[in-house]
Amino acid sequence: MDNKNTLFADIILPLPIPKLYTYSIPSELEQKIKTGHRVIVQFGKKKLYSAIVCNIHNNKPEKYKTKKIISILDEKPIINNLQLKFWKWISEYYMCSLGEVYKAALPSGLKLESETKIIYNESFSEHKNLNDTEYLIINILEKRNILTINEISSLIESSKSLSVIKNLINKNAVYVVEKIKDSYKPKLVKYVKLPDDFKNKKNLNTLLDKLQKAPKQFELLVTYLTLSEFLNNKTPKEVTKKELLERVKATDQTLNSLVKKNALIIYEKEVGRLKENIISLKKSSKLNDFQAKAYNKIKQDFINKDVTLLHGVTSSGKTEIYIKLINDIIATGKQVLYLLPEIALTTQIINRLKNIFGKKVGIYHSKFNDSERVEIWNKVLNNDENSYKVILGVRSSIFLPFNNLGLIIIDEEHENTYKQFDPVPRYHARDCAIVLGKLHNAKILLGTATPSIESYYNSKNKKFGYVELTQRYKEIQLPEVIIADTKTAYRKKQMKSFFSPVLLENIETALKNKEQVILFQNRRGYSPYLECSVCGWIPECEHCNVSLTYHKYFNNLNCHYCGYTLNNPANCLACGSTSMETKGFGTEKIEDEIAIFFPEAKIARMDLDTTRSRYAYQRIISDFENNNVDILIGTQMISKGLDFDNVRIVGILNADNMLNYPDFRASERSFQLMLQVSGRAGRSEKRGKVIIQTSNPAHPIIHFVMNNDYISFYENQIKERKKFNYPPFNRLIKITIKHKNPETLNIASKQLANKLKPIFGKRLLGPQAPVINRIQNWYLKTILIKIEKDKSFSKAKTYLYKTSNELKHTKDYGNLQIVFDVDPM
Ligand code: ADP
Ligand code: ZN
Ligand code: ZN
């Protein structure tokens, strides 16, 4: 073979290997292969992967003998060149490999490898569309339920296995799961309906006549007709099987006889599924004068600036302005990405967008199952008349295969949930979205009522445009803020449970007036810890250095860092006494305690524990919207952007634990959180009230919140940031060193610091033990690097990377992990 003519491809494997791997392209694939294609390759001894072609060239690697690409998985590339550029930027900026970006970017259904687990889709029924090989696999899966790709490869010719699986995924016959326990099992409810034939009254009469002989069946059918209001309703109401059987006191058997006669049909539906209402499209609202002015100013800023900050108070109508801008962009044929920090928020805004943009808008977040995510991916990729033009999504939607973005909106841009903490890449979706926008020549709009210090700084320095909205839409005043001094109240014994008199009074009045209440507590669970009142023993996680949180509903103790759970010990495990006391309070306890004071009120809770299932957000939010709930208790999940009409009172139960958190962003975060939660009150009719409980009413941040004074807050913070060399003046990299042996960790982290000191000098802080210095049996030390804005960031990173790698490969340290977090939050 003439080597000169052999083509090679550099391949991105879904692995944390620092370099791309080169494979040779077999001649039969030469004409077909393109960058962005998924290909099947073998890596290591026997493992197969679906990997991405990053570039194609003639340069034979000198150091190793190349393997051949086995096959191409897709007709057309599924990754475009802009995405590849974007991935490269992420991997360089956030110090990770391209393989790790690839793993984060694609839904698991598009990433296949030997260990990937395939499960059978139980509602699959189109067996006739399968070819022989596919049929064989499905047959086995129906019995076994789960197979790994490795197992499938041993059943059929292994070079074909990945493409067979790909086809099964496309045909919706199987799902891919990365972690079995995460796989979503929808909760189904059985409904009963009449077959279309009997919608004809004549046919129905004949049927009823026939059934006279079977009185129980007759009664059941008639009851169905009554419940569904069939006779006076064009679209009969849906009737559940349970409801029907209970009403007639009939058994399954009676119903089944009717089903056999084709007189009734049983069908299943997921509970809580978004109602697929037929949407009649509405026109977007007419902007009021302030909004129109802001809209025009944004357009004007976009002439000279790529990024503009829209600083608009809560409920000023920022979303209405976004809608207008989206309209403008999609009219030019371009795509729009609309980012939100929280799934809860997407469920509310999607309805507003669907009303206006109909099928053009798609939604993307982690509560979708994998095949749905693949479907959405394809609906962005194809970019034809059936594709989504607007994507509303959480941070991971920056990875969708956009090819023609015109606008990116980053709503609630200050939110730290935009930062991915684990696993790698530890990216910040706002910052990435700005880079992504620039790659597309798109405009970027940051929206918030409480800008991050960084973004406000950038707009003051003219790097970003700046547009302000200081009026609420209906010109309702921002809520009145009342401070409840809990220290004094506790001393005077005025506190009832965790509630100050002023909070209880206000809740009472609101409930009397049929108005709603939101109570905010930034801690889930019942109480953050238990303590033995005899010997002082506190149950701690076996694997982490934290106390376990007590969850009453599950009656267990749970570690919020690793998930470890312990059954609630009746006795102290140290001294055996039975007097274990709960200390502090989380949302679950608030829910219990508030019910004591307002036994008539309907209470709901929204936190991580109550929103694990897919439609939980939707259900809680719509219950609250429809006034089926009077008091909503929640964590920071309820602080963001939700728009409810009837909320009069917002209570912040404990401002202290936010303010006292040991982090340079604690003040900023508390300010934003308090102002945001406050923003949920009094949005539509009357002015709302916010009651902040704190033991430190003199705290400057409390003061800024009371006066809704963003500018003073900013001035106060920016001084501190400057003084202590924090962002936006410096950039930070946090290095976490992990080892299972605390002594080894001590030595290794000191050695790393010593190696880095000559280069970084005073810019290096540490090593030090973080507040929680052991997680999942790994002991932790951190080193913080602060680099001035004018110094080379990439040089620093290269050096850090190199030095850490050398240390990691020192024999004495065995399994040492070094993790980088660029721009830590
Ligand atoms: P923000 O995003 O700034 O918090 P929203 O866009 O959610 O504010 O607006 C708050 C409420 O006021 C929403 O219910 C919205 O429908 C309504 N609203 C805002 N502007 C208009 C407008 N121009 N016409 C009609 N309703 C509006
Ligand atoms: Zn004890
Ligand atoms: Zn733990």
Side-chain angles (χ1 to χ4, degrees), residues 347-586:
T347 65
Q348 222 184 23
I349 296 204
I350 192 68
N351 293 331
R352 282 169 80 175
L353 295 188
K354 281 233 164 109
N355 279 333
I356 294 164
F357 303 112
K359 286 189 178 151
K360 292 197 184 108
V361 33
I363 180 169
Y364 193 73
H365 56 65
S366 59
K367 296 270 171 183
F368 282 107
N369 69 35
D370 203 64
S371 32
E372 286 169 314
R373 276 195 265 178
V374 173
E375 223 174 289
I376 299 165
W377 183 281
N378 291 332
K379 279 192 86 168
V380 176
L381 180 71
N382 296 338
N383 205 13
D384 55 28
E385 64 274 22
N386 295 320
S387 305
Y388 293 135
K389 299 297 179 218
V390 184
I391 284 288
L392 180 73
V394 296
R395 62 170 182 249
S396 57
S397 32
I398 58 171
F399 291 116
L400 286 169
F402 301 104
N403 51 34
N404 191 12
L405 277 169
L407 174 69
I408 302 179
I409 295 163
I410 303 154
D411 198 14
E412 313 291 352
E413 66 84 24
H414 63 278
E415 275 298 337
N416 62 339
T417 35
Y418 276 129
K419 174 83 188 213
Q420 160 125 330
F421 181 65
D422 246 343
V424 276
R426 300 186 170 79
Y427 64 97
H428 194 302
R430 176 196 58 211
D431 302 343
C432 289
I434 292 176
V435 172
L436 179 68
K438 289 185 178 170
L439 286 171
H440 282 258
N441 273 323
K443 297 297 171 188
I444 298 130
L445 183 65
L446 310 179
T448 173
T450 50
S452 62
I453 299 288
E454 283 87 345
S455 296
Y456 194 76
Y457 176 84
N458 281 334
S459 63
K460 278 194 91 151
N461 290 301
K462 309 279 180 240
K463 198 173 153 200
F464 296 172
Y466 180 75
V467 179
E468 212 176 4
L469 257 179
T470 53
Q471 296 270 2
R472 283 192 149 184
Y473 161 60
K474 284 189 184 159
E475 297 179 39
I476 306 160
Q477 276 183 295
L478 284 165
E480 175 191 358
V481 179
I482 299 166
I483 304 299
D485 176 355
T486 47
K487 203 169 174 180
T488 316
Y490 272 119
R491 207 185 53 228
K492 295 188 178 164
K493 304 218 181 322
Q494 291 167 333
M495 289 294 279
K496 293 197 176 137
S497 171
F498 309 108
F499 313 109
S500 56
V502 55
L503 179 58
L504 289 177
E505 280 156 30
N506 277 290
I507 296 177
E508 193 174 341
T509 319
L511 294 179
K512 259 192 205 132
N513 297 332
K514 301 258 173 284
E515 292 165 330
Q516 289 170 304
V517 175
I518 288 181
L519 297 179
F520 169 80
Q521 168 63 358
N522 214 5
R523 214 169 222 161
R524 68 188 167 96
Y526 193 79
S527 58
Y529 64 101
L530 295 183
E531 193 181 84
C532 169
S533 64
V534 176
C535 75
W537 177 71
I538 295 173
E540 285 191 355
C541 178
E542 278 188 15
H543 313 287
C544 313
N545 191 5
V546 286
S547 53
L548 294 168
T549 303
Y550 172 51
H551 288 254
K552 190 176 169 197
Y553 178 77
F554 299 106
N555 194 27
N556 68 16
L557 299 171
N558 180 244
C559 172
H560 287 185
Y561 287 83
C562 75
Y564 169 80
T565 50
L566 182 75
N567 286 335
N568 185 21
N571 296 58
C572 168
L573 295 186
C575 77
S577 98
T578 50
S579 43
M580 295 298 293
E581 289 180 348
T582 60
K583 293 284 175 176
F585 57 96

Side-chain angles (χ1 to χ4, degrees), residues 285-288 291 313-320 352 473 643 683:
S285 312
K286 193 173 175 310
L287 299 183
N288 68 21
Q291 292 167 342
V313 296
T314 50
S315 202
S316 53
K318 294 184 289 297
T319 316
E320 300 294 332
R352 282 169 80 175
Y473 161 60
D643 184 29
R683 287 171 74 89

